[in-house]
Amino acid sequence: TLDVYDRYGLVDLIRRVHSDPVVSDEGGLTETRQYRTYIEAFESAAQRKWDLVGPYVNAGRVLDIGCASGGMLEIAARDARLWESDLIGVEVARHLYEECQHKKAQGAFDNPNVYFYQRNLLTGDVFPSRSIDTTITVALTHEIYSYGDRLPALRSFAETIYRHTVPGGVWVNSVVL
């Protein structure tokens, strides 16, 4: 057992999981989010958002951070350019993550290589160095700035994205002001 813990760095992983600074036990940034309303808004805006970011997406490992209910990845899964790609959604809020899993179980994604993780990228690296071809963030960086430690949190987030991005990879960021 100790060999397994050492080999896979499980002690550090367990420490990181238990020290995650997400505000609530549900993985949300606030206690007052109405997730049903959020899901409806994200789903209805998914095509408009994909139209903005899609042209800049490189095939390969495509990561949507703050993927909400997976609406943009559902559209990406129909994009012929990305049929051989891994489409990865990361969502910190438990309710939204569970909705992604539910949609996947219902067969909503045309690409079989769609994966979802409930993670907080503000706590450090989630993906191996130089392993992601495209990172998409839509309406997320303002939340990191607002709910995190302002500029230091945003800088840390950008550094995390830099580390997991392959040479020549892209970060497509859409900001809400």
Side-chain angles (χ1 to χ4, degrees):
T1 302
L2 291 177
D3 180 55
V4 171
Y5 270 75
D6 290 339
R7 185 178 328 140
Y8 298 105
L10 295 179
V11 171
D12 290 335
L13 178 63
I14 291 168
R15 280 188 185 123
R16 192 173 93 214
V17 167
H18 287 284
S19 66
D20 193 329
V22 175
V23 173
S24 77
D25 290 338
E26 296 297 316
L29 296 172
T30 68
E31 299 290 339
T32 59
R33 299 265 168 131
Q34 298 296 321
Y35 287 104
R36 181 181 173 101
T37 304
Y38 262 55
I39 289 170
E40 290 170 1
F42 289 135
E43 291 294 318
S44 68
Q47 185 65 58
R48 178 183 53 80
K49 291 175 181 179
W50 181 252
D51 290 344
L52 289 172
V53 302
Y56 304 101
V57 171
N58 292 340
R61 295 188 81 210
V62 178
L63 172 63
D64 182 2
I65 302 173
C67 68
S69 56
M72 274 204 317
L73 289 177
E74 189 174 350
I75 296 166
R78 294 190 298 261
D79 188 327
R81 297 176 308 127
L82 304 176
W83 283 347
E84 297 294 321
S85 295
D86 289 338
L87 305 176
I88 306 162
V90 170
E91 180 53 57
V92 70
R94 181 183 59 81
H95 293 67
L96 297 174
Y97 167 74
E98 288 175 353
E99 181 62 21
C100 291
Q101 294 290 63
H102 174 75
K103 286 173 66 175
K104 184 175 178 179
Q106 297 299 315
F109 301 95
D110 290 347
N111 182 333
N113 301 314
V114 176
Y115 309 95
F116 293 101
Y117 300 95
Q118 184 182 15
R119 301 284 189 273
N120 182 355
L121 273 76
L122 294 178
T123 61
D125 296 342
V126 172
F127 297 96
S129 177
R130 298 180 172 212
S131 66
I132 302 294
D133 297 281
T134 301
T135 299
I136 302 167
T137 53
V138 175
L140 179 66
T141 52
H142 76 282
E143 294 218 11
I144 291 169
Y145 184 87
S146 298
Y147 293 106
D149 190 22
R150 303 258 184 227
L151 191 55
L154 195 54
R155 183 174 286 121
S156 175
F157 182 69
E159 289 168 354
T160 297
I161 291 172
Y162 175 78
R163 283 191 299 275
H164 75 221
T165 302
V166 302
V170 296
W171 175 15
V172 185
N173 182 46
S174 177
V175 180
V176 175
L177 298 175

